[in-house]
Amino acid sequence: MKKNQMLMTSGTIWKQMLLFAFPVFLGNLFQQLYNIADSFVAGKFIGNDALAAVGNSYEITLIFIAFAFGCNIGGSVVVAQFFGAKRMKEMKTAVSTTFIASGVLCAVLMVAGLLLDEKMLLLINPPAEVMADSALYLRIYIFGLPFVFFYNVATGIFSALGDSKTPFYFLAASSLSNIVADIILFVTAFKMGVAGVAWATFICQGVSCILALVFVFARLKTVETEERAPLFSGEILGKIARIAIPSVLQQSFISVGNIIIQGVINTFGTAVMAGYSSGVKLNNLVITSFTTLGNGVSNFTAQNIGAGKYDRVKSGYWAGTKMVWMLSVPLIALYFFFGDKLSMLFLESPTELALKTSVTYLRILAPFYIVVSAKLVADGVLRGSGRMKQFMASTFTDLLLRVALAVVLSGTALGSTGIWLAWPIGWCIATA
């Protein structure tokens, strides 16, 4: 076995999870740089309307990302189970089956997205002055969907094999190049505005995806099997779908909920929209970090279930929970006390209302990172063990509460602040 492939079915649990999780966490930071870079460049080098346009499009792109994320989780859990059981032939078939199914799904979503892009944007009531740029950014993003899908699947395969370092190297290089391409070439030199932001991301994601695919297939060639593994298996696809579909539904419904919430936010004007766009980028950086660590727990759980070592799953859960709590404490302090300075990364000469909106949003949500991080680790155990009904129940509880409360509270004297209060209430009940 290659040294950067790691079976997590024996050895000291907290050390294994730390060695696996640290590159995953750093990789996630660079992954988020894609979206953060777009907002940073739009807000700093183009203007608040451009930031609002990217923010509106971002809520729609999360629906597509939900499907890519589902393919990542479904494939990685099944691959990890076969890998943990040392059934390498089935493991290889699971990899190729995931790529084939993901490619078909991606093609369907591209057609639907290109036909319905403006209709989807109209659901969130964007102001007329940002509609054209929102649609342009979204359309370019849709053309790059194959890169998003296949890159997510590739990183899921690396994680299933216990290798969290290789995806990190790709992410670091492509994310930094995305920032350079955004600022120096497409926006500053070529004066392409929002389109330049979108094309820079498209190109860098494409390069990262191609490199990831090359390395995945090279890695698989080093895994020996007694006979040639079939490229596709309906039975294995069923196993993948049982994990992937609930994960897709989870992320999709969250995205739909966010679109409804974005529609409510948009009724408060572009200043609140820009402030929310800034705050939600910072919040998503934290939540996605917790989710990524939860995915690591999924792979740990799946490998040990594949090997029949169920006692390690419980220990892995507690080790993962302690890790996210250690991460939560400094992030809570950073966002609560320095939210204004962090918000200024995205807002160039902001109005008082835009900055106040972002700071209020962060101060309301940050103290509850301890709660939601524990939920996301528990989600990882549930996914890795195939307990998707329980996983879905907590997710839908969170979503329904957040959407309903955002709509209701925004109509009270609290105004837009009422929307932000919906987050911690949903998190607490879903976690319990």
Side-chain angles (χ1 to χ4, degrees), residues 260-278:
I260 296 172
I261 292 172
Q262 181 74 56
V264 177
I265 292 167
N266 287 355
T267 63
F268 289 89
T270 56
V272 172
M273 288 168 58
Y276 170 71
S277 182
S278 171

Side-chain angles (χ1 to χ4, degrees), residues 66-324:
F67 283 89
F69 176 78
C71 294
N72 172 302
I73 291 296
S76 66
V77 167
V78 173
V79 170
Q81 288 177 347
F82 285 133
F83 186 62
K86 299 182 180 179
R87 296 165 61 183
M88 299 306 176
K89 176 183 173 183
E90 290 92 336
M91 184 270 287
K92 283 190 169 185
T93 300
V95 171
S96 55
T97 298
T98 303
F99 275 116
I100 292 169
S102 299
V104 172
L105 177 60
C106 177
V108 172
L109 289 174
M110 286 184 70
V111 172
L114 291 172
L115 291 174
L116 302 173
D117 54 353
E118 291 190 2
K119 292 182 175 63
M120 289 189 289
L121 283 169
L122 288 173
L123 293 174
I124 57 179
N125 302 316
E129 61 266 30
V130 303
M131 180 62 183
D133 278 344
S134 295
L136 178 60
Y137 181 93
L138 180 58
R139 198 167 295 121
I140 295 170
Y141 183 89
I142 292 170
F143 280 118
L145 274 184
F147 300 143
V148 175
F149 266 75
F150 290 129
Y151 179 80
N152 270 274
V153 172
T155 56
I157 302 308
F158 282 123
S159 296
L161 299 178
D163 177 8
S164 56
K165 293 180 181 178
T166 303
F168 164 68
Y169 299 142
F170 295 143
L171 278 169
S174 58
S175 297
L176 293 174
S177 62
N178 180 46
I179 296 173
V180 173
D182 260 344
I183 297 174
I184 297 178
L185 290 178
F186 290 91
V187 174
T188 304
F190 298 160
K191 308 292 185 183
M192 293 177 65
V194 170
V197 173
W199 281 118
T201 300
F202 174 94
I203 293 170
C204 294
Q205 282 183 333
V207 173
S208 181
C209 172
I210 292 169
L211 288 173
L213 291 175
V214 169
F215 276 74
V216 160
F217 290 117
R219 180 72 52 81
L220 290 174
K221 285 185 178 180
T222 68
V223 179
E224 297 181 357
T225 56
E226 293 183 359
E227 55 184 298
R228 185 180 179 86
L231 285 176
F232 186 84
S233 166
E235 180 182 355
I236 290 178
L237 178 60
K239 292 178 181 290
I240 295 169
R242 280 192 288 273
I243 304 296
I245 291 174
S247 297
V248 169
L249 290 175
Q250 176 219 17
Q251 294 295 317
S252 296
F253 281 116
I254 287 175
S255 297
V256 170
N258 287 340
I259 289 172
I260 296 172
I261 292 172
Q262 181 74 56
V264 177
I265 292 167
N266 287 355
T267 63
F268 289 89
T270 56
V272 172
M273 288 168 58
Y276 170 71
S277 182
S278 171
V280 79
K281 293 289 186 184
L282 292 165
N283 177 64
N284 284 343
L285 175 63
V286 175
I287 299 302
T288 308
S289 298
F290 294 151
T291 302
T292 303
L293 293 173
N295 294 345
V297 174
S298 286
N299 289 311
F300 177 89
T301 300
Q303 281 196 18
N304 281 282
I305 286 179
K309 296 185 177 182
Y310 304 104
D311 57 319
R312 289 174 60 83
V313 174
K314 182 177 180 180
S315 299
Y317 164 74
W318 287 112
T321 301
K322 290 173 185 175
M323 275 196 289
V324 293

Side-chain angles (χ1 to χ4, degrees), residues 4 40 44 56 174 217 247 250 269 284 292 353 398-399 403:
N4 52 355
F40 173 82
K44 287 287 187 178
N56 274 283
S174 58
F217 290 117
S247 297
Q250 176 219 17
N284 284 343
T292 303
L353 179 57
D398 175 17
L399 172 66
V403 173

